[in-house]
Amino acid sequence: MGWFVSDIRLYSLLQTYKGWFFVLVTGLSFLFYVIPQINEINNSYEQALKAKEDYRSIFDTAANLITSVDAEGIIVDCNNQVQNFLGYKREEIIGYSMAKIIHPDYLDKASQSLQQILETGYSYDKEYKMVRKDGTFIDVIINSSGMNKTNGNYERTICIINDITERKTSEKRIEYLTSVLKSIRNVNQLIVTENDKFKLVQGICASLTESHSFYSVWICLMDHNQNPIMIEDCGGDSKFSILSSKMKNGEIPDYIRTVLETNELLFVDDPYQGNIPIMH
């Protein structure tokens, strides 16, 4: 500007106006551009913070046990359900390997699933046994997905774990009752078709154990004087030989006498009395 103005006072005045102009432009720029940008950044930060809080709230209050596991199988986070499911506090398993809570028989399966998740990003409906803090086992089903994908692989895995112990127990009970009904059906067929009483007793004994409805079976056929005519046993209990020997020698245990006298079904809690097995 000095090239065009020779008057010092005018030059100073113009310089002042110039400064005010730049201040005005800077202020307007700040007002109409910078402040909205700052507000947008603040809003985005608040939304991200709220989303994080919402995620944490869902994570902590979920009905299922949720764990976050790194690529080495180390538990880096879990929700509060870990105490209900496994009896641990969060700080007692965070930083430890999943091997701490997975049943030893399922460790290889868990390791293979982890590698699958890190490569493909998911693993669904895998059944495991987990070990509670008190040493007892629970049956679980786990659905997993990968997180934080870098260089083609996932760095972490989120596992949603559902306790299916009651369901598995019910399934086993149904399976057992089905085998019992099958055994009863087979026994009924033998009663109708088999005329030889010795073969009938042998067939009933074998049928009850072959279907796994009973671990072991002991049957004694007696005459009207309560003398044993035939004794048959099947299964894995060698102590039946003790009972058979006593019966052949005329020694009838009290619980058998009770059944013979009352003609009723007898249930007992202790399967042995004096090292003699009780039928129940």
Side-chain angles (χ1 to χ4, degrees), residues 218 231 239-251:
W218 182 89
I231 296 176
K239 289 184 180 180
F240 277 139
S241 59
I242 301 174
L243 177 58
S244 297
S245 297
K246 287 183 175 291
M247 291 290 292
K248 290 176 181 178
N249 292 329
E251 300 178 37

Side-chain angles (χ1 to χ4, degrees), residues 72-229:
E72 303 301 321
I74 303 300
I75 302 169
V76 296
D77 199 2
C78 69
N79 66 353
N80 295 325
Q81 286 293 344
V82 68
Q83 189 153 10
N84 294 330
F85 274 62
L86 301 174
Y88 288 101
K89 295 180 179 179
R90 293 178 65 249
E91 57 270 21
E92 290 181 303
I93 68 166
I94 291 178
Y96 289 87
S97 170
M98 281 288 286
K100 181 174 182 176
I101 58 176
I102 296 292
H103 189 285
D105 292 346
Y106 290 79
L107 288 177
D108 288 342
K109 179 180 178 180
S111 178
Q112 293 171 6
S113 293
L114 178 60
Q115 293 304 313
Q116 176 188 345
I117 298 161
L118 295 175
E119 294 173 4
T120 66
Y122 62 88
S123 175
Y124 299 140
D125 297 335
K126 296 294 177 65
E127 291 189 14
Y128 301 88
K129 281 189 181 294
M130 299 186 82
V131 184
R132 291 176 51 85
K133 186 177 180 179
D134 61 7
T136 58
F137 306 138
I138 63 171
D139 294 293
V140 299
I141 190 166
I142 302 181
N143 289 291
S144 309
S145 59
M147 292 182 63
N148 302 338
K149 188 174 184 179
T150 57
N151 299 324
N153 289 325
Y154 294 89
E155 296 178 353
R156 286 193 184 182
T157 298
I158 289 290
C159 302
I160 300 177
I161 303 168
N162 186 30
D163 185 350
I164 59 170
T165 304
E166 289 187 7
R167 191 189 83 185
K168 296 291 286 186
T169 301
S170 296
E171 289 175 352
K172 289 178 181 178
R173 181 170 179 79
I174 291 171
E175 182 180 350
Y176 171 72
L177 292 175
T178 301
S179 69
V180 170
L181 290 174
K182 180 180 178 181
S183 296
I184 293 173
R185 182 198 64 189
N186 293 339
V187 168
N188 288 336
Q189 290 177 346
L190 280 171
I191 292 173
V192 172
T193 59
E194 185 58 68
N195 296 320
D196 187 316
K197 59 185 176 182
F198 295 104
K199 290 183 179 180
L200 175 61
V201 171
Q202 292 174 343
I204 291 173
C205 190
S207 178
L208 292 175
T209 54
E210 284 174 359
S211 62
H212 304 292
S213 53
F214 293 90
Y215 172 70
S216 55
V217 175
W218 182 89
I219 299 176
C220 178
L221 188 62
M222 307 176 73
D223 62 20
H224 295 294
N225 296 320
Q226 298 184 356
N227 296 315
I229 300 173

